[in-house]
């Protein structure tokens, strides 16, 4: 499985934007970039995914580098409820393996007042 | 729509015993995956079932097994429990390969 590298932890002030980076230099052409987050005492939660183009949804934006070797999850205005571990995951669409999410260590985001 | 439910939420077992955990996916979802989360190893994929067939398997010993029923509900079983099996076991469901996975709250298993 292609690997992702994320900082162990990041801090942000409430209501400020947060940029969470992810490196995936060995990404293949069939790999989608997925982001999940895990709030304390909960299961992981899907945030966003993309292939080549930048993506936006109600939770966040995903900026993907032109060479696809890195990406950045953007939370436009962090709130205390966004404090979680954020996982960047490469997900192949090869039939039969797409269901297997390989989680790294993720980035623990702390949000302070 | 109801989310993924897992039962029981907490469980304490003794070394050597066996345990069965249950997962009810979101209605209409045919894929159910299981993950183990420990402080040391993080989140690790156990296996995935799709339409009652195991389609993917992670690197876990044969003591870990599972099955899926015709209504997509899934169970996982761990036999001959070891202390190292203490973990949060998470179940995730999905309509299929192209979709995101929805996780349940997990079952916290403690082996003493």
């Amino acid at each position: 499985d292609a690997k992702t590298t994320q900082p162990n932890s990041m801090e942000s002030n409430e209501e400020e934007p947060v940029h969470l980076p992810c490196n995936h230099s060995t990404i293949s052409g069939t790999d989608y970039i997925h982001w999940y987050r895990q709030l304390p005492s909960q299961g992981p939660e899907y945030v966003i995914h993309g292939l080549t183009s930048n993506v936006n949804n109600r939770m966040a934006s995903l900026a993907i580098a032109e060479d696809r070797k890195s990406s950045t999850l953007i939370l436009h205005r962090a709130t205390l409820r966004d404090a979680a571990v954020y996982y960047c995951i490469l997900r192949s669409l090869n039939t039969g393996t797409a269901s297997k999410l390989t989680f790294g260590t993720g980035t623990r985001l702390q949000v302070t007042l | 729509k109801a989310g993924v439910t897992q039962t029981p939420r907490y469980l304490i077992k003794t070394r050597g015993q066996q345990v069965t955990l249950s997962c009810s996916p979101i209605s209409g979802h045919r894929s159910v995956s299981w993950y183990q989360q420990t402080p040391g190893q993080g989140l690790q994929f156990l296996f995935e079932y799709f339409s009652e067939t195991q389609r993917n398997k992670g690197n876990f010993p044969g003591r870990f097994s599972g099955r899926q029923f015709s209504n997509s509900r899934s169970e996982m079983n761990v036999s001959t429990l070891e202390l190292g099996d203490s973990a949060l076991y998470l179940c995730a469901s999905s309509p299929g390969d192209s979709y995101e996975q929805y996780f349940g709250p997990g079952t916290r298993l403690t082996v003493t």
Side-chain angles (χ1 to χ4, degrees):
Chain A
D1 294 330
K3 195 174 172 178
T4 62
T5 305
Q6 299 177 252
N8 286 334
S9 63
M10 291 185 65
E11 283 187 28
S12 173
N13 294 322
E14 199 177 21
E15 300 199 1
E16 288 187 358
V18 181
H19 291 234
L20 298 164
C22 180
N23 287 319
H24 29 78
S25 58
T26 59
I27 190 171
S28 75
T30 58
D31 286 339
Y32 277 74
I33 302 156
H34 282 242
W35 285 81
Y36 282 74
R37 72 180 184 180
Q38 188 172 20
L39 280 64
S41 302
Q42 294 187 29
E45 172 189 33
Y46 167 80
V47 177
I48 199 167
H49 77 278
L51 183 63
T52 56
S53 305
N54 295 345
V55 184
N56 301 297
N57 67 19
R58 62 174 181 80
M59 288 181 71
S61 296
L62 177 60
I64 301 172
E66 199 169 329
D67 63 5
R68 302 212 320 130
K69 293 186 177 182
S70 66
S71 61
T72 302
L73 178 70
I74 302 165
L75 306 179
H76 295 286
R77 288 181 65 200
T79 70
L80 296 177
R81 286 173 293 183
D82 292 320
V85 179
Y86 287 78
Y87 297 97
C88 170
I89 299 166
L90 299 183
R91 188 177 180 190
S92 171
L93 279 196
N94 290 330
T95 303
T97 61
S99 61
K100 180 183 174 183
L101 297 182
T102 301
F103 288 83
T105 53
T107 296
R108 183 172 298 277
L109 175 66
Q110 290 182 295
V111 181
T112 54
L113 291 169
Chain B
K1 239 182 195 181
V4 177
T5 57
Q6 293 187 245
T7 56
R9 292 292 312 279
Y10 302 91
L11 203 51
I12 300 175
K13 288 285 188 180
T14 303
R15 206 168 26 173
Q17 287 185 316
Q18 68 102 24
V19 67
T20 299
L21 311 181
S22 181
C23 171
S24 292
I26 292 172
S27 177
H29 288 193
R30 295 166 63 190
S31 168
V32 174
S33 299
W34 288 89
Y35 294 82
Q36 181 196 65
Q37 185 171 28
T38 60
Q41 299 297 319
L43 269 155
Q44 293 186 285
F45 174 82
L46 279 157
F47 32 66
E48 183 238 358
Y49 286 85
F50 186 88
S51 295
E52 301 180 65
T53 301
Q54 187 182 85
R55 196 167 60 164
N56 263 302
K57 191 175 189 310
N59 295 326
F60 280 81
R63 299 185 297 107
F64 292 81
S65 63
R67 59 178 175 168
Q68 186 180 35
F69 302 96
S70 58
N71 62 359
S72 292
R73 190 177 70 85
S74 177
E75 289 181 347
M76 70 161 280
N77 184 77
V78 187
S79 63
T80 319
L81 283 166
E82 300 177 0
L83 295 178
D85 296 333
S86 294
L88 180 67
Y89 290 89
L90 292 155
C91 164
S93 77
S94 171
D97 284 348
S98 303
Y99 300 87
E100 60 268 27
Q101 295 190 8
Y102 296 83
F103 284 80
T107 294
R108 172 77 60 187
L109 172 65
T110 302
V111 181
T112 61

